[in-house]
Amino acid sequence: DAGVIQSPRHEVTEMGQEVTLRCKPISGHNSLFWYRQTMMRGLELLIYFNNNVPIDDSGMPEDRFSAKMPNASFSTLKIQPSEPRDSAVYFCASSFYSLGGSQSYEQYFGPGTRLTVT
Amino acid sequence: AQSVAQPEDQVNVAEGNPLTVKCTYSVSGNPYLFWYVQYPNRGLQFLLKYITGDNLVKGSYGFEAEFNKSQTSFHLKKPSALVSDSALYFCAVRSGRGGKLIFGQGTELSVKP
């Protein structure tokens, strides 16, 4: 399996521009998570989906951030407009979840997208 | 609410010595606990998990973790540290629907030759 795939790996943009980060989860996984990592705040969960439905978006910083999961194999995280304080590494992770099942739900992380907003 | 704490920001160990990275948790119900490692400029990698059964769990790269219910702890251990073990280590606990994990703040492990 190729693992979780994220693109781009690096993104440099100017303040005010729209940024779109992409994620392809592991085939067969039905939960997808978007995280942000910074030195100041550590690892933060932004939003997660189960069966393509957003379950909890309470970690999304503000309305400039939006996420979609149009199908089981693709998700996007969009920032519009971007600001310098959005500079961080953004990770996507996936896992398999079954209500009442015995799975342990470990998440598998992608390599991350390093976003720099100038 | 579920939570996890890593009381040490940094742990320093000499190569060849045993290492311990501490984690305590707070959950309602049975805990599902995890350890992850992050090498520089990489994503988090799953190391091991505790779901049920034996309190000593073995994982990747020679790591193991000991689940202690009375102390609500899940410390990561390795009998003999390697320089290549130097990385950032995260403890996590499962929380809620959809497989959400609550992560600790991370512990930087530094192994010196």
Side-chain angles (χ1 to χ4, degrees):
Chain A
D1 197 314
V4 176
I5 298 172
Q6 291 187 247
S7 64
R9 294 294 310 276
H10 301 273
E11 177 79 37
V12 180
T13 191
E14 292 183 348
M15 182 174 62
Q17 296 299 306
E18 177 180 298
V19 175
T20 299
L21 311 182
R22 298 173 175 81
C23 176
K24 177 178 169 57
I26 292 172
S27 177
H29 283 184
N30 63 353
S31 286
L32 183 140
F33 306 80
W34 281 102
Y35 293 88
R36 178 172 69 175
Q37 187 177 37
T38 62
M39 290 291 292
M40 291 295 293
R41 290 200 173 103
L43 190 66
E44 303 174 272
L45 176 64
L46 300 178
I47 185 172
Y48 74 102
F49 298 83
N50 182 237
N51 294 325
N52 311 336
V53 175
I55 303 300
D56 184 352
D57 66 355
S58 60
M60 295 287 261
E62 47 197 275
D63 292 345
R64 298 185 296 106
F65 286 69
S66 62
K68 294 182 179 180
M69 191 164 188
N71 57 61
S73 59
F74 184 66
S75 177
T76 59
L77 177 68
K78 185 177 295 186
I79 308 173
Q80 166 63 20
S82 58
E83 296 183 2
R85 60 191 168 125
D86 301 330
S87 297
V89 180
Y90 291 81
F91 290 105
C92 176
S94 71
S95 70
F96 179 77
Y97 174 81
S98 175
L99 185 63
S102 60
Q103 294 85 355
S104 55
Y105 316 128
E106 60 262 31
Q107 295 177 15
Y108 293 88
F109 281 70
T113 295
R114 183 174 295 277
L115 173 65
T116 302
V117 183
T118 61
Chain B
Q2 325 284 51
S3 66
V4 65
Q6 295 179 241
E8 301 157 317
D9 290 336
Q10 185 161 9
V11 171
N12 298 309
V13 178
E15 187 175 32
N17 282 1
L19 70 86
T20 299
V21 183
K22 296 179 180 177
C23 173
T24 59
Y25 66 89
S26 174
V27 302
S28 54
N30 295 322
Y32 283 28
L33 297 160
F34 305 83
W35 275 103
Y36 284 79
V37 60
Q38 184 180 28
Y39 298 101
N41 301 313
R42 304 285 295 274
L44 278 69
Q45 295 179 34
F46 169 69
L47 269 181
L48 52 78
K49 63 189 178 190
Y50 172 83
I51 305 302
T52 186
D54 195 347
N55 289 344
L56 187 63
V57 178
K58 294 188 182 300
S60 305
Y61 311 123
F63 284 92
E64 56 191 25
E66 186 171 10
F67 171 69
N68 187 315
K69 188 172 183 178
S70 63
Q71 297 186 4
T72 62
S73 67
F74 188 56
H75 299 334
L76 182 70
K77 301 182 179 184
K78 188 173 183 181
S80 179
L82 300 172
V83 172
S84 57
D85 293 330
S86 298
L88 186 58
Y89 290 81
F90 291 93
C91 182
V93 62
R94 197 191 85 176
S95 172
R97 176 185 163 194
K100 175 182 176 180
L101 296 181
I102 304 295
F103 284 87
Q105 73 271 29
T107 297
E108 186 80 39
L109 174 66
S110 177
V111 182
K112 301 294 186 186

